[in-house]
Amino acid sequence: MKIGLIGNPNVGKSLIFQQLTGLGVEVSNYPGTTIDLQCGNTCFQKEMIEVTDLPGIYSLDGDSEEEKIVRSFVGSGKADVIVAVLDAGRLERNLYLLLQAAEYRRPMLVVLNMMDEAEKSGIQVDVQKLSSLLGVEVIPTVAVQGKNTCNIIPAVLSSARTPTVKVLYDHHIEAAVKSIRTVHNLDWNGALQALLGHSQDPDVFEAASALSEEIERMHRMSVAQIVAGNRHHCAEHIASEVVRTRPPERGPDIDRLLTTRIPGIPILAAILIGLLLTVFVIGSWLEEAFVSLIGRFILQPFLAAGFPPLAEQLGTAIILAIQAGFGIAFPFIFTFYVFIALLEDSGYLTRAAFLADRTLHRFGMHGQGIIPLVLGFGCNVPAIMSIKLLRTRRERLIASFLVTLIPCSARTVIIAGLVAAFVGIGAAMSVYLIVLAVILITGLALSRVTPGEQYGMILEMSPLRKPTVKNVLLKSWIRIREFLVIAMPLLIVASIVLGLFQYSGLMAAFEQFIEPFSATVLGLPSYATTALIFGILRKEMALETLVILAGTADLGSVLSMAQIYIFAVVSVLFVPCIATIAVLKKEIGTRMALVISIYTMVVGILVGALLNLLMS
């Protein structure tokens, strides 16, 4: 049994997916695209059920990559049942997508989510009447509380059926569809899709185009506009039949505070600064505890055991890798992801986008650009993937440059684990100021030289919600799992390779070769520059490799404060990690990915050289 979850953005679809599948989630790339689909399995009454979380969209008729994927998925019959997730508080708009999906004549089930928020807004939905009008089972849920989500799978197995609702189209549309069906032997929806221009058959496309032109000439509007109008009218009629409104519950107007420039912008700045300081404080406390425990109970006993030189070299490298990964990187990354999840689940990020719109216009983007920029503080990879939210290639190019300069959680590990720990929190915050200055200069320059047009912003404000501890921790764990599954094995393998290089003398030869550049330009010992290069694999590996090559986690004993500071700044600005480069290649092409990589390398070295000149 295969299930596909379909719905508008911000309807709680992904949360329902997580509750249905637990942590057994597999992210796979849709063939021929850069879109990732989440797939998970659940078992009910000894039957294995595969659930696919489709991208959130508003319509099946558009030409965006997400819309094409969902249209292909629904039309291909890859899912035995389509589960449409609707927002009870915005029923009319959500019904538009459901009516489109219903025309594919697949077994369906409707999940009416966010019932609690609808009730707070004074909206009451007659669930039974809605089910009768649509001809499918409707399950009311409150996903953030897990209310009724346990009924979805049983209903899929027992109650899913083909919808009976039908949109009444203009008689010219009906006649054209009938003509295409008669001549080309298509089903009703296939003929309608052909009339809308979604046909791969040249003969069908040619016939449908001729009919579309005739209809457009008679109505003075396109077939897509007529069809959309008919669907909206049907959605409005259904919503009017089942929705009853009353005066909403009144409370403090928090939105006015968060979306007005004053105090909205100071609140935004305070939230971001507070987030970073909290990550520094909590992460530093956890780092000290983990590093001390691993050093006392694992590293020291191992060194005292008296193993042969090669075994001791490799064993020490592995233990230092574990100490660097779990002791230095993990505390900061996990703490950061917890706070990012809090911001996402609260609905605050869309308010931040609204506030940032005017400022980001100066950098050639609109307010939605704040979303990939904020996500970049967590990880550059999903941040680069989210640039698809931006409308033009110009905006996506500018956002790609800026996101790669954002200090992600891995770079935050370097800033916090090095500068905050050995120099001070004030010095750590100044690293962010340097990076901010580079981002501002880069953005202003790109806004003047990047070709293309700039458009305004249309953004749906997601409702403010109280995040739940369970959902925040679950989302944080799903994200941190990538570090444990991918980064830690990579770090251990790299540590073994470094141990072999050190034992064989190859590392000493390389460091001797790079010593003149490292000492003269950056003022760093050669092993620190070697660590910078390993940071291209994963950013936190620059620090972890530095610990391994230095032979101690107490870096303050082998590096000066100036060297620690310069190393951190160069690491943050240096070439993005391999995963980010790969995603850049997918999103904006190989040439621009190469340009961004070279640009960040040059900027990192120039800023490091300038700091060395000022501090020497």
Side-chain angles (χ1 to χ4, degrees), residues 128-158:
Q128 294 301 323
K129 191 169 185 179
L130 178 62
S131 176
S132 176
L133 290 173
L134 297 177
V136 295
E137 182 81 11
V138 177
I139 300 177
T141 63
V142 181
V144 292
Q145 300 173 11
K147 186 176 179 180
N148 282 352
T149 53
C150 61
N151 297 329
I152 295 175
I153 295 300
V156 164
L157 296 174
S158 63

Side-chain angles (χ1 to χ4, degrees), residues 85-160:
V85 183
L86 311 184
D87 179 354
R90 296 173 172 84
L91 186 60
E92 181 180 332
R93 190 195 66 200
N94 283 233
L95 282 171
Y96 183 83
L97 178 62
L98 183 143
L99 291 173
Q100 290 179 285
E103 291 175 341
Y104 285 85
R105 315 304 295 164
R106 308 291 182 198
M108 290 187 69
L109 181 77
V110 171
V111 174
L112 193 60
N113 195 29
M114 302 184 184
M115 293 293 288
D116 57 333
E117 293 180 6
E119 290 176 6
K120 288 180 182 178
S121 301
I123 297 172
Q124 295 179 329
V125 181
D126 188 334
V127 176
Q128 294 301 323
K129 191 169 185 179
L130 178 62
S131 176
S132 176
L133 290 173
L134 297 177
V136 295
E137 182 81 11
V138 177
I139 300 177
T141 63
V142 181
V144 292
Q145 300 173 11
K147 186 176 179 180
N148 282 352
T149 53
C150 61
N151 297 329
I152 295 175
I153 295 300
V156 164
L157 296 174
S158 63
S159 306

